[in-house]
Amino acid sequence: MRSCSGATRFDELDVDLNFTLVLTDPANMNLQTTVVFTDLIGSTGVFESVGNLRATEAVTRLTQWISGVCAEHGGQVVKTLGDGVLALFPSGQMAVDAVVQMQRQHQANIAQTPLELRMPIRIGVASGDVEMVGGDCFGDAVNVAARLSDLSGPHEIWANDLSLAKAVAHDGVRFRSLGSVQIRGRTELCAAYQLEWQTDLNTAFLTRQADLDTHLDGIDVLGGQIELSWNQQSRSFRSFDLPVQMGRVAGLDVTLNDPRVSRTHARLDWRNGSIVLVDISSYGSWVRFSGGGSDVLLRRKECVLHGDGLISLGAPPGDSDEHIIRFKVS
């Protein structure tokens, strides 16, 4: 595979489409390691728009290119999962360097890619215990990395605090606290950070070990404001306005007159620097983030809101807007 340094476009890479990078010596892998989980956003739409053959080739080339970036930075790819890649790194620093280069180079590549083939990358990074079984890996860090990837948006990198504890932010990178977030299937909250990797950022975190800003937990680190629009109505809520109640009953903060919506269906909570949607209904809620990716189904569960998208109460997003709330987190 050709070098992934510089501005080589992934659609020009001279690669074997059967290329696979495997963990060659799992016995030597430390129990404490750093997991990177990458996911391509919008791949389903690519298959629909260009057909299976062309889409398969584009997705395969991208996952192979991602694998090459991981290998270049000392990572070892355990497996690819359709449009995702799971890799292990000996240290958080090596993982950070890899995913930052990945996003920066992909941003340059995607600008030269046909619109119908553009697939942004979202990335989760987590350090912790990992167990190797039969060439596959399991453990808390794997679950956390996958969940952080799910919660992140297009072109974003989310990481847990353990992965950044000894990492040095350099070359314009900044670690921004997102507060504590809930990880599905995990009772303990996760202290999460977003890696701001854009080179034009003016940051005070250059060429030194990055402060993890733990004193910011519970403070307004996401901007503390969410804009909601529904049925030709629009309102903005600050962190101190939350919780916000949504449902069919008149007098709630957000009222939707649709039989699929429960009397009190869901609410927005402010929790340690994050705006969280909590479903308390019988039929569930759906969240669709802008930029593609699968809808998130919540049934008596919760989800951190970020960026913009829509919330659908009582039924998946469809032709009707009666049960749809559009949101934008500032």
Side-chain angles (χ1 to χ4, degrees):
M1 186 172 195
R2 288 170 56 187
S3 170
C4 292
S5 60
T8 305
R9 290 174 52 187
F10 68 81
D11 59 351
E12 295 176 345
L13 293 176
D14 181 16
V15 294
D16 176 4
L17 292 183
N18 295 314
F19 168 86
T20 303
L21 183 63
V22 297
L23 191 63
T24 56
D25 191 6
N28 292 334
M29 181 61 64
N30 294 331
L31 290 178
Q32 279 281 331
T33 190
T34 300
V35 180
V36 166
F37 192 95
T38 73
D39 180 48
L40 302 179
I41 295 179
S43 60
T44 300
V46 171
F47 276 89
E48 291 176 350
S49 63
V50 304
N52 289 342
L53 181 61
R54 192 177 176 199
T56 298
E57 181 175 310
V59 169
T60 303
R61 286 181 179 274
L62 254 181
T63 54
Q64 290 176 355
W65 171 76
I66 291 170
S67 299
V69 175
C70 291
E72 180 183 337
H73 289 271
Q76 299 191 16
V77 173
V78 178
K79 59 183 177 181
T80 58
L81 308 117
D83 58 0
V85 175
L86 175 62
L88 302 182
F89 289 80
S91 71
Q93 183 69 66
M94 297 167 75
V96 167
D97 292 344
V99 296
V100 167
Q101 178 188 325
M102 195 181 298
Q103 289 289 28
R104 288 178 173 172
Q105 187 171 333
H106 188 58
Q107 183 182 53
N109 291 341
I110 206 170
Q112 305 174 56
T113 303
L115 286 174
E116 67 272 15
L117 293 178
R118 292 185 180 182
M119 290 174 280
I121 303 174
R122 58 183 175 186
I123 303 174
V125 183
S127 290
D129 293 332
V130 171
E131 182 177 356
M132 301 301 303
V133 179
D136 204 349
C137 63
F138 304 88
D140 184 59
V142 178
N143 297 332
V144 172
R147 184 58 176 153
L148 290 177
S149 174
D150 290 341
L151 289 171
S152 66
H155 310 291
E156 289 186 353
I157 305 167
W158 284 26
N160 73 344
D161 55 344
L162 292 177
S163 64
L164 304 181
K166 297 182 180 179
V168 175
H170 56 83
D171 194 21
V173 177
R174 180 182 177 187
F175 304 156
R176 180 166 67 89
S177 175
L178 297 174
S180 298
V181 300
Q182 182 71 52
I183 301 296
R184 185 173 55 242
R186 196 173 187 262
T187 56
E188 184 179 351
L189 294 175
C190 171
Y193 293 80
Q194 181 174 337
L195 275 63
E196 296 181 338
W197 50 266
Q198 292 84 351
T199 54
D200 58 350
L201 286 176
N202 182 15
T203 176
F205 291 81
L206 301 178
T207 62
R208 65 181 180 89
Q209 183 164 333
D211 301 323
L212 291 188
D213 293 336
T214 54
H215 65 285
L216 292 178
D217 287 346
I219 305 301
D220 190 357
V221 295
L222 284 182
Q225 179 170 311
I226 184 169
E227 300 174 24
L228 301 179
S229 302
W230 72 99
N231 296 339
Q232 298 182 337
Q233 299 184 60
S234 181
R235 287 186 63 184
S236 294
F237 300 92
R238 299 289 303 222
S239 57
F240 49 76
D241 296 321
L242 275 56
V244 165
Q245 303 288 340
M246 308 173 178
R248 200 174 68 248
V249 177
L252 296 181
D253 301 291
V254 178
T255 302
L256 298 173
N257 186 20
D258 187 289
R260 294 168 292 188
V261 178
S262 299
R263 291 173 59 83
T264 304
H265 195 105
R267 70 174 186 270
L268 296 177
D269 286 345
W270 176 254
R271 193 177 303 158
N272 295 321
S274 297
I275 295 176
V276 181
L277 175 68
V278 182
D279 176 77
I280 53 177
S281 71
S282 300
Y283 298 105
S285 303
W286 283 257
V287 180
R288 176 177 294 174
F289 294 99
S290 295
S294 302
D295 295 344
V296 179
L297 170 60
L298 306 176
R299 283 200 175 99
R300 301 300 176 98
K301 295 181 180 179
E302 56 191 42
C303 173
V304 175
L305 297 183
H306 55 88
D308 60 275
L310 59 84
I311 300 166
S312 183
L313 303 184
D319 296 333
S320 172
D321 284 341
E322 295 298 318
H323 62 298
I324 299 294
I325 304 166
R326 288 172 172 78
F327 71 87
K328 181 177 181 180
V329 177
S330 298

